[in-house]
Amino acid sequence: MKLNREVFIAGVGETPFRKHELDFDALGRWAVTQALETSNIDRPDVVQSAYLGNATNGLVTGQTLFKNLGMLSKMPIINVESACSAGAMAVHLAIKDVACGLTEVSMGVGAENHTLHRQAGTAFTPAMSDIETVHGGVMTGKYSMRATRYMHERGATIEDFAMITVKNRKHATHNPHAWFKGEISVEEVVKSRMVAYPMTLHQCCGIADGAGAVVVCSKEMVKKLGIEKPVRVAGSVVTSGPYHNRPRDITGDDITEATSEQLYEESGIGPEEVDILELHDAFTIAELLYYECMGLCKKGDGLKFPARRAVHLRRAVRGQSAGRHALLRSPHRRIRRGPDRRQRQAAARPVRRLPGGSGSARGHESCHRWRSLRHRTRRLHHAHAGQGLVVGALDATG
């Protein structure tokens, strides 16, 4: 989507991600309240439209969430279901409202509670009308096939995949919102319960509850709200991707490749210019695949890329990660990548990584930890869901 006018992130909110006894609407209000505070918004009628991303918690979820905040009036509330990219899709639609001049202030929210509403150990029910599903192509099976093919073509090992878990959990050590964090060894990852070869338990995302919220506004509203360091949205692209049952390269991803190319073209920011990258990694293999699909390295070089680009956080910012992220370090460019399906509702995360962005300049506790990334200005966020994809580029130059 080519933006018709400048759009800025004014504020964000986010809950911790774990098993919660609070239902989705309470989690959502927790995140929304933070987002309003960090946006300097003290009246509910300032927000002119709102979108709620939710996949499993029933009907009129947005109205249920916003009613106790005094925001049910003339403001349109639109509910979005987009599986793993529901929260990111909600933010995209809020951006679209402001970019098209329909509103001056809009909000995108993602909120979900799985654990209160489903039995532990049960999987999400796929569409039985899909030919791949009928033949057992559920998410875990699909990613295990991609991993085994990747091992065959690239010479990767289970230990290579396990290193992704080791790295990302280490990065999450000091993040209060991350669920899986701390030290874990390659051996522990490899020896954890096998789910679908070669994906062991610690290489698969967990099912968690949580919420995130993002307030977006026009340049004029940034000034009125007194936002000192707003985050400019350089581009936001959504595609549905091709649908076919032909043989295809499962170590690639045509949806991600096409959408990334469109985003780079529309935003004027190429992959070599990205400072911080957060990508969708429901399983460890996804990180290596998307390095290639998003143009960070050549096709076939994903396995070599982490070693060549030193994919880890420097000691100075090691504690600043959301959990499943890395800082890709090179002589001229630093990048970071990231989220998984477990964290898909964290609509706020693309902003929290930016330099002091949207609230941290005012000392908001949950944003304070990102201040050490001030010199990194361009961020790209990637969310993937079945045949749908959301990719957004955020530029911290206000």
Side-chain angles (χ1 to χ4, degrees):
M1 176 182 69
K2 190 74 173 180
L3 303 183
N4 295 334
R5 64 171 178 167
E6 287 187 315
V7 180
F8 295 85
I9 307 296
V12 297
E14 184 182 35
T15 71
F17 280 77
R18 59 174 185 259
K19 292 182 179 181
H20 280 281
E21 295 184 0
L22 295 174
D23 212 339
F24 79 94
D25 56 323
L27 292 171
R29 286 190 289 272
W30 181 352
V32 168
T33 300
Q34 285 187 15
L36 294 175
E37 289 177 355
T38 57
S39 303
N40 292 339
I41 294 176
D42 55 7
R43 300 194 334 266
D45 60 344
V46 173
V47 181
Q48 297 169 317
S49 70
Y51 296 85
L52 174 66
N54 181 284
T56 65
N57 291 136
L59 304 176
V60 292
T61 48
Q63 289 79 356
T64 302
L65 190 158
F66 284 104
K67 67 179 181 181
N68 290 334
L69 292 173
M71 300 178 75
L72 291 188
S73 57
K74 296 181 179 179
M75 180 182 76
I77 298 172
I78 300 174
N79 302 307
V80 180
E81 190 284 301
S82 186
C84 303
S85 63
M89 186 73 77
V91 175
H92 170 82
L93 293 172
I95 291 169
K96 187 175 181 179
D97 277 2
V98 175
C100 294
L102 299 176
T103 64
E104 296 298 311
V105 182
S106 292
M107 174 176 284
V109 183
E112 200 99 31
N113 187 302
H114 297 294
T115 59
L116 284 181
H117 304 282
R118 64 185 308 109
Q119 184 178 351
T122 58
F124 296 103
T125 304
M128 293 308 294
S129 60
D130 184 83
I131 190 171
E132 291 186 346
T133 297
V134 173
H135 288 86
V138 295
M139 286 297 103
T140 308
K142 286 182 178 180
Y143 277 95
S144 72
M145 289 191 295
R146 297 176 85 178
T148 53
R149 188 66 190 179
Y150 196 85
M151 294 168 76
H152 172 74
E153 293 188 1
R154 311 285 201 272
T157 65
I158 297 180
E159 286 75 17
D160 291 325
F161 300 145
M163 279 299 301
I164 302 295
T165 298
V166 173
K167 168 178 60 63
N168 294 340
R169 289 201 180 191
K170 185 176 182 180
H171 293 169
T173 300
H174 302 295
N175 178 6
H177 289 172
W179 190 10
F180 300 114
K181 53 188 174 182
E183 299 291 335
I184 189 171
S185 68
V186 170
E187 183 180 14
E188 287 178 288
V189 176
V190 172
K191 289 188 175 181
S192 61
R193 177 169 59 86
M194 184 63 68
V195 177
Y197 182 85
M199 297 289 101
T200 58
L201 181 65
H202 290 319
Q203 297 183 63
C204 305
C205 63
I207 302 300
D209 315 318
V214 177
V215 174
V216 298
C217 63
S218 64
K219 188 173 185 178
E220 292 73 19
M221 280 303 299
V222 164
K223 296 177 181 178
K224 289 181 180 180
L225 294 173
I227 306 300
E228 298 176 4
K229 295 187 177 182
V231 176
R232 183 175 65 85
V233 180
S236 183
V237 172
V238 175
T239 64
S240 58
Y243 177 76
H244 60 77
N245 290 316
R246 301 188 303 271
R248 59 187 183 274
D249 178 11
I250 61 174
T251 65
D253 192 87
D254 44 13
I255 312 174
T256 295
E257 292 167 4
T259 310
S260 298
E261 290 176 5
Q262 182 179 341
L263 178 63
Y264 296 147
E265 181 178 354
E266 292 186 6
S267 67
I269 298 173
E272 71 283 350
E273 299 177 273
V274 174
D275 298 302
I276 304 172
L277 171 64
E278 185 171 36
L279 61 77
H280 188 109
D281 61 339
F283 302 86
T284 53
I285 177 60
E287 176 173 335
L288 299 178
L289 298 181
Y290 292 137
Y291 286 159
E292 302 176 13
C293 295
M294 302 189 79
L296 300 175
C297 62
K298 294 181 180 179
K299 187 71 173 178
D301 284 354
L303 187 60
K304 304 174 185 176
F305 185 64
R308 188 171 69 247
R309 293 289 296 272
V311 187
H312 58 82
L313 295 176
R314 295 182 305 150
R315 181 172 301 175
V317 297
R318 186 174 62 188
Q320 296 356 320
S321 172
R324 298 180 65 82
H325 304 83
L327 182 68
L328 311 186
R329 189 170 60 185
S330 70
H332 64 285
R333 210 22 88 177
R334 292 177 174 84
I335 307 172
R336 208 177 68 184
R337 76 99 224 115
D340 57 25
R341 188 178 68 186
R342 165 176 61 84
Q343 300 167 331
R344 72 178 181 273
Q345 290 85 15
R349 285 205 172 107
V351 184
R352 292 192 187 284
R353 310 304 181 271
L354 287 165
S358 300
S360 60
R362 293 182 295 282
H364 195 274
E365 181 180 358
S366 60
C367 298
H368 179 76
R369 64 187 183 276
W370 305 117
R371 290 182 178 179
S372 59
L373 297 177
R374 287 185 187 279
H375 63 288
R376 300 183 179 90
T377 58
R378 295 183 180 89
R379 173 183 179 77
L380 192 151
H381 172 67
H382 164 259
H384 192 295
Q387 286 294 323
L389 176 70
V390 180
V391 178
L394 305 178
D395 190 336
T397 55

